[in-house]
């Protein structure tokens, strides 16, 4: 038998540093690259609906009640 082999958990072995596995580092790098890429695409595309503005004065829809739920003001039941 070969007795010259040392076990990795022997008393003479130096303590291992706490290093994350390479797969985790690669995943975090890929996640960061996807985030940066999606942010760049979103910034270059601009706003989704440029004509929409937030109404801070309490105003409603300015579409004249022609579409959506703008014409529903009360429950007449009729």
């Amino acid at each position: 038998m070969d007795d010259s082999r040392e076990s990795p958990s022997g008393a003479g072995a130096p303590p291992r540093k706490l290093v994350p596995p390479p797969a985790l580092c690669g995943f975090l790098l890929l996640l960061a690259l996807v985030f940066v890429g999606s942010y760049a695409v979103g910034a270059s595309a601009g706003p989704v609906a440029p004509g929409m503005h937030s109404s801070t004065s309490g105003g409603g829809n300015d579409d004249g009640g022609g579409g959506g739920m703008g014409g529903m003001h009360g429950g007449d039941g009729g």
Side-chain angles (χ1 to χ4, degrees):
M1 293 247 172
D2 188 20
D3 291 332
S4 63
R5 293 173 67 187
E6 295 180 16
S7 63
S9 63
R16 286 188 59 183
K17 296 179 182 178
L18 294 176
V19 178
L24 179 63
C25 293
F27 173 73
L28 292 177
L29 179 66
L30 181 65
L31 187 67
L33 288 174
V34 167
F35 176 76
V36 168
S38 64
Y39 183 82
V41 168
S44 67
V48 176
M52 292 182 71
H53 301 288
S54 62
S55 60
T56 57
S57 62
N61 266 349
D62 290 332
D63 62 356
M69 297 176 63
M72 297 179 67
H73 293 291
D76 294 341

